Amino acid sequence: HVQLVESGGGSVQAGGSLTLSCASSVTTDSYCAGWFRQVPDREREGVAGIDSDGSASYADSVKGRFTISKDNAKNTLYLQMDSLKPEDTAMYYCAASNRILPEWYILAGYAYWGQGTQVTVS
């Protein structure tokens, strides 16, 4: 059973940076992974995804500001968030799948989810 644990959330002023981490309980170098976010009363949305070969994809709203990466040796996924805006405020979740995903931003493709970490930008 795969367990994902996010960390690194917090409060930051607009224009600041945060780095989120997602530690996996198993080796995930062959997995696809992604970061999603959700605000109350709205659907969870994809932020960034990364293939098993390291190819990254981003939502238009974060392109150029966020960077997804992974360290296979540490079984950890990262999301570097720069130039943060108040509209980036949300609960952020990491997700992983051991299957090839047709589209990285489709929630149903991911079998494993973390518990979430809150990011607040003021």
Side-chain angles (χ1 to χ4, degrees):
H1 180 66
V2 178
Q3 289 186 313
L4 303 176
V5 179
E6 300 100 334
S7 61
S11 297
V12 64
Q13 291 187 337
S17 299
L18 281 175
T19 300
L20 305 184
S21 299
C22 173
S24 171
S25 61
V26 301
T27 301
T28 55
D29 56 332
S30 62
Y31 283 46
C32 299
W35 286 97
F36 293 78
R37 65 187 181 187
Q38 188 171 22
V39 298
D41 299 325
R42 295 192 62 178
E43 293 185 354
R44 194 171 296 186
E45 63 176 9
V47 175
I50 188 166
D51 291 342
S52 58
D53 63 0
S55 299
S57 301
Y58 299 92
D60 288 342
S61 59
V62 306
K63 202 170 293 184
R65 300 188 298 121
F66 290 11
T67 303
I68 188 172
S69 63
K70 60 178 181 173
D71 186 332
N72 291 332
K74 296 181 178 179
N75 295 332
T76 302
L77 178 73
Y78 301 98
L79 184 68
Q80 174 67 40
M81 304 186 294
D82 298 318
S83 302
L84 282 161
K85 305 175 181 180
E87 51 263 44
D88 295 318
T89 296
M91 184 71 79
Y92 282 72
Y93 300 89
C94 66
S97 172
N98 57 1
R99 297 187 293 179
I100 296 174
L101 301 175
E103 299 292 349
W104 67 270
Y105 50 82
I106 298 177
L107 279 69
Y110 294 89
Y112 310 107
W113 290 84
Q115 82 289 349
T117 185
Q118 177 69 37
V119 171
T120 302
V121 185
S122 59

